[in-house]
Amino acid sequence: MKKNCDVIKDLLPLYIDDACSENSKELILKHLKTCHDCQNYLDSIKMNVGETNTIEIKAFKKFNKKIILKLAVIIIIFCALILALLWGINNYKFSMKYDKDMSFYSGGNGNRWNLVFNYTHDGYPYADFVKMNENGETIYVIFVTWKSTLHEYFSNINIGSAPDMDYGSMNIDNDIIRVYYTQDDVHKVKEASKEELDKMIKNSVYVFNNDKKTTNMQCKLGNEDYNYTMTYYDLNGLILESFGDNTIPSKLKLDDYASKYGKETKFENLAHSNENAHDVLDKIEKYIRKNGGNCSRKDN
C-alpha cells in the first residue's frame, strides 16, 4: 500500500496541472476514494498552489504598478520636454532675411531723428552703430536687423517701429551715416574688430544713407510750363524738400497714406511723407506725356 501511495503522490502534481494521461487519472481517482492520506496530501498541494498563485499574482500586480508608475513618469517628462521645446521654438527670436517687404525711412532732423523700420511681419527691430574712418572722414555705420518668433512671423501684422538704439549725438543733417541690414548679432558691433566689421558689411544689405541729392524736372504741357524741384536721400529717394507747381500733382494721388484719411498732399508738402522722389516725378512725367506733353530732368 505504501508503494502505491508513493506512486500516486508522484502523479498528483501532474494530475493538478491536468498533464497526466486518462488512465493515470482513473488510477488516481480510484486510489483517492479509499486512501485518506493521499487525499489529504492532494488537498495540501492544492492549498500550497493557491497560496503560491496568490503570492505570484500580488507580486505581478506590484510589478505592474511599478511599471505603470515608471511609464507615467516617463510620459510626463516626455510631454514636459515637448512643451518646453515648443515653447522655446515659439519664443526663440531669429533674424529675418532681408526682403522686398522691408522699408526704412528717417523722421525728424538734426539730433532729433530716428530710423524707422517697417515690415509686414510682427516682431521687433534691433540696431547698434559704430564710428568708422572712410577716406579720412568719420562715418556712422548702423547695423539693423528684424527679429521675429514663429508666432510673430505668422501673425502677419503690418507694423512700423523704430530700432531699439540710442543714437546719441549723431546728426542726420551733418554727419555721414550708412545703414546696413544684417542677420548677425547687432549688439556685438561695438566690440567687433575692423576685419569683423568689414565682413559684416560685406554680408549685409545696404539699405539707407543720408547723402542728399536734388533733382529738377521741367515739363511742358500745351502752352503751360511746370517746374518741380526735390531734395531727397540719395539711396532710397525719401523726400526731404519739395518745391514746384501744384497744378499737375493735385490731379494725382501721390500720398496713399494721407489719402486714406481724406487729405490731399500737395507737392510742396511731400517732405517726410515717406514718398519716394523718383516715384513722384515718374507719376508726374507719365501723366504729362500721356496728355501730349514732355519733361526733362537734371540732377544737382
Side-chain angles (χ1 to χ4, degrees):
M1 189 70 178
K2 177 76 167 76
K3 185 177 180 181
N4 290 340
C5 287
D6 290 340
V7 173
I8 294 300
K9 287 179 179 179
D10 288 340
L11 291 173
L12 284 178
L14 296 174
Y15 171 76
I16 292 173
D17 292 336
D18 197 20
C20 59
S21 66
E22 292 297 323
N23 290 333
S24 296
K25 284 183 182 180
E26 290 180 7
L27 179 64
I28 292 169
L29 291 173
K30 185 176 179 181
H31 181 81
L32 291 175
K33 287 180 180 179
T34 58
C35 182
H36 294 293
D37 184 48
C38 287
Q39 180 64 53
N40 290 335
Y41 183 73
L42 174 64
D43 293 340
S44 67
I45 292 176
K46 287 182 177 180
M47 184 178 294
N48 289 334
V49 169
E51 290 176 354
T52 300
N53 287 342
T54 301
I55 292 171
E56 289 177 351
I57 290 170
K58 287 182 178 179
F60 180 73
K61 286 182 177 180
K62 187 176 181 180
F63 176 76
N64 266 1
K65 284 182 179 179
K66 287 183 178 179
I67 293 296
I68 292 171
L69 181 61
K70 287 182 179 179
L71 284 174
V73 171
I74 291 171
I75 291 171
I76 291 171
I77 293 173
F78 178 76
C79 291
L81 289 174
I82 292 296
L83 289 174
L85 180 63
L86 292 175
W87 184 89
I89 292 174
N90 185 59
N91 289 277
Y92 172 71
K93 289 186 177 292
F94 53 93
S95 292
M96 303 298 300
K97 186 177 180 180
Y98 184 81
D99 64 40
K100 61 181 178 59
D101 292 326
M102 296 180 180
S103 63
F104 297 82
Y105 62 92
S106 68
N109 51 60
N111 301 114
R112 299 181 61 83
W113 70 282
N114 204 353
L115 180 70
V116 182
F117 186 176
N118 276 347
Y119 192 33
T120 55
H121 295 286
D122 199 3
Y124 199 78
Y126 296 84
D128 211 337
F129 70 93
V130 290
K131 291 182 181 180
M132 298 183 70
N133 186 281
E134 184 180 273
N135 299 323
E137 292 186 293
T138 299
I139 65 170
Y140 289 85
V141 179
I142 301 174
F143 291 96
V144 62
T145 192
W146 183 275
K147 289 189 176 184
S148 291
T149 62
L150 283 177
H151 172 72
E152 289 171 337
Y153 179 81
F154 289 107
S155 295
N156 203 30
I157 299 173
N158 191 0
I159 186 170
S161 184
D164 182 15
M165 184 183 73
D166 179 12
Y167 290 88
S169 60
M170 195 187 308
N171 189 301
I172 196 170
D173 295 321
N174 301 324
D175 295 320
I176 302 173
I177 297 171
R178 304 286 182 266
V179 181
Y180 293 89
Y181 183 86
T182 181
Q183 287 184 275
D184 293 331
D185 185 356
V186 297
H187 298 303
K188 291 182 178 180
V189 300
K190 284 287 199 295
E191 291 76 31
S193 65
K194 176 66 166 56
E195 291 74 19
E196 290 172 331
L197 290 173
D198 288 340
K199 186 177 179 180
M200 282 186 68
I201 290 174
K202 184 178 179 181
N203 295 330
S204 300
V205 180
Y206 190 17
V207 294
F208 180 84
N209 66 37
N210 66 330
D211 295 342
K212 297 172 185 176
K213 193 172 183 178
T214 299
T215 294
N216 177 262
M217 186 169 76
Q218 295 180 330
C219 300
K220 187 174 184 65
L221 181 58
N223 296 322
E224 298 292 333
D225 293 322
Y226 302 95
N227 292 292
Y228 307 98
T229 300
M230 281 189 172
T231 301
Y232 50 91
Y233 289 130
D234 183 34
L235 182 62
N236 54 17
L238 292 176
I239 301 170
L240 296 172
E241 292 180 318
S242 52
F243 302 97
D245 195 286
N246 284 323
T247 306
I248 299 301
S250 66
K251 298 177 182 179
L252 302 173
K253 291 184 178 179
L254 298 179
D255 190 340
D256 293 332
Y257 179 81
S259 66
K260 292 178 183 178
Y261 297 92
K263 299 176 182 178
E264 185 177 16
T265 301
K266 294 184 179 181
F267 188 83
E268 72 266 19
N269 296 327
L270 287 173
H272 305 294
S273 62
N274 305 331
E275 290 289 335
N276 182 285
H278 308 293
D279 290 344
V280 172
L281 293 175
D282 286 345
K283 289 178 183 179
I284 296 171
E285 184 173 359
K286 182 178 179 181
Y287 177 86
I288 290 177
R289 290 187 181 279
K290 182 179 179 181
N291 288 275
N294 58 79
C295 295
S296 63
R297 299 189 197 183
K298 182 180 179 182
D299 294 331
N300 298 317

